[in-house]
Amino acid sequence: SAVISQKPSRDICQRGTSLTIQCQVDSQVTMMFWYRQQPGQSLTLIATANQGSEATYESGFVIDKFPISRPNLTFSTLTVSNMSPEDSSIYLCSVEISNGYTFGSGTRLTVV
Amino acid sequence: AQSVTQLDSHVSVSEGTPVLLRCNYSSSYSPSLFWYVQHPNKGLQLLLKYTSAATLVKGINGFEAEFKKSETSFHLTKPSAHMSDAAEYFCVVSDYGSSNTGKLIFGQGTTLQVKP
């Protein structure tokens, strides 16, 4: 099954700045998924990233706020732009494997 | 639209006693259902997956879940709780029949507390 390396694992950022999160998969995958887990909450899908096409965003999430890149079949980035304290969350990427979905270890973002 | 409801936000059991975490789902298509566990400050780990091959699914660490279509339920059980089972558990549905192929919908989570 695929292994995902996600970084950074955590960061503390100033409001108004941007943070780019990277996910590297050790095998080629068609789709990569980005999730947000707000404090004490469940996971919510932000967008689905296919290589060679624009990401598909879920309701409530927009490309200007969460631009995504997918330059090849093993790598993707999610940028959290113009951050505010409300963006403080854990961000996770995910890919489908043979028996389910595997997740990166997450990026714990705190915006101050 | 697909949805998942975890009926208990918090479950507390004593070590050595059975665990029951309840989950109901709603799906317009034949769903794939999962249980994931998240230990404090750890990543998500897949416990088990249902994909219509068998209604009783056995997972890791002694957990199992039974798919009951008539009740639209997928409850997670374990005969005997260990202290290490204390964590957050998520019931998840994936819809493969719509345009959102592969999209995961998470329940709100159940916190399992295991008392010595």
Side-chain angles (χ1 to χ4, degrees):
Chain A
S1 61
V3 176
I4 302 176
S5 298
Q6 183 174 344
K7 60 181 181 181
S9 59
R10 61 179 60 230
D11 207 341
I12 301 174
C13 301
Q14 297 292 322
R15 67 179 67 199
T17 63
S18 298
L19 175 71
T20 296
I21 302 167
Q22 301 179 4
C23 276
Q24 177 76 50
V25 189
D26 67 351
S27 59
Q28 294 184 338
V29 293
T30 303
M31 291 188 289
M32 294 182 71
F33 305 90
W34 287 97
Y35 289 84
R36 181 177 72 181
Q37 186 177 23
Q38 294 177 297
Q41 303 293 317
S42 185
L43 279 77
T44 301
L45 181 66
I46 298 172
T48 302
N50 288 331
Q51 192 270 334
S53 63
E54 281 198 6
T56 302
Y57 289 82
E58 298 298 308
S59 176
F61 298 96
V62 295
I63 188 171
D64 289 345
K65 177 66 175 178
F66 298 101
I68 287 172
S69 77
R70 186 78 202 275
N72 57 54
L73 290 174
T74 64
F75 187 78
S76 180
T77 67
L78 170 77
T79 299
V80 186
S81 302
N82 188 25
M83 288 183 286
S84 66
E86 291 71 35
D87 295 320
S88 298
S89 298
I90 299 173
Y91 294 85
L92 303 100
C93 58
S94 175
V95 300
E96 186 173 7
I97 57 177
S98 59
N99 64 335
Y101 291 79
T102 190
F103 289 80
S105 54
T107 297
R108 184 179 295 271
L109 171 62
T110 302
V111 184
V112 297
Chain B
Q2 300 73 39
S3 66
V4 175
T5 302
Q6 292 183 242
L7 300 175
D8 307 290
S9 60
H10 188 272
V11 170
S12 181
V13 302
S14 297
E15 189 176 20
T17 64
V19 175
L20 170 64
L21 305 183
R22 299 182 296 166
C23 173
N24 285 353
Y25 72 92
S26 172
S27 176
S28 302
Y29 306 91
S30 297
S32 289
L33 293 159
F34 310 82
W35 277 98
Y36 280 85
V37 61
Q38 187 178 38
H39 288 90
N41 298 314
K42 296 286 182 65
L44 283 161
Q45 182 181 22
L46 177 65
L47 283 177
L48 49 81
K49 173 186 180 183
Y50 166 78
T51 55
S52 77
T55 57
L56 183 62
V57 183
K58 294 188 181 298
I60 62 172
N61 300 335
F63 285 95
E64 61 182 37
E66 186 172 9
F67 174 74
K68 292 186 177 180
K69 186 174 182 178
S70 61
E71 300 176 8
T72 60
S73 69
F74 190 57
H75 301 336
L76 182 71
T77 60
K78 182 173 181 178
S80 176
H82 295 165
M83 295 298 293
S84 61
D85 294 328
E88 189 78 11
Y89 291 79
F90 293 100
C91 182
V92 183
V93 63
S94 177
D95 174 27
Y96 284 92
S98 74
S99 59
N100 293 323
T101 300
K103 172 181 176 179
L104 293 182
I105 299 171
F106 282 73
Q108 287 304 303
T110 298
T111 302
L112 176 63
Q113 179 187 24
V114 182
K115 297 178 290 186

